[in-house]
């Protein structure tokens, strides 16, 4: 994910509690909140495309498709 990428506000209703906590921690550590929207502070390399897509859209996702 590149610096300045805007993440979805909130998470999908289908998001699991563990994912919600992990995303919350990611936002706290790696994002600024600009007008209510989490925006990444710096480039960040995830360990898989699906994790990156999930963080971006706020729920489980196939990173190869998204």
């Amino acid at each position: 994910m590149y610096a300045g990428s805007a993440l979805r506000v909130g998470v999908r209703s289908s998001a699991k509690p563990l994912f919600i906590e992990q995303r919350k921690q990611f936002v706290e550590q790696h994002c600024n909140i600009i007008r209510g929207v989490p925006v990444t502070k710096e480039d960040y390399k995830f360990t898989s495309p699906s994790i990156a897509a999930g963080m971006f859209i706020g729920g489980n996702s196939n990173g190869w498709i998204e």
Side-chain angles (χ1 to χ4, degrees), residues 46-60:
F46 290 93
T47 57
S48 81
S50 294
I51 294 172
M55 289 295 172
F56 184 73
I57 65 170
N60 292 341

Side-chain angles (χ1 to χ4, degrees), residues 9-44:
V9 176
V11 295
R12 291 179 171 177
S13 60
S14 61
K16 305 273 191 260
L18 178 60
F19 172 81
I20 294 170
E21 182 59 31
Q22 290 171 334
R23 187 169 191 265
K24 178 183 171 194
Q25 289 177 9
F26 177 81
V27 170
E28 288 173 354
Q29 294 173 8
H30 301 285
C31 295
N32 292 316
I33 306 300
I34 300 173
R35 286 179 242 147
V37 177
V39 177
T40 55
K41 298 177 191 178
E42 69 278 324
D43 291 354
Y44 188 87

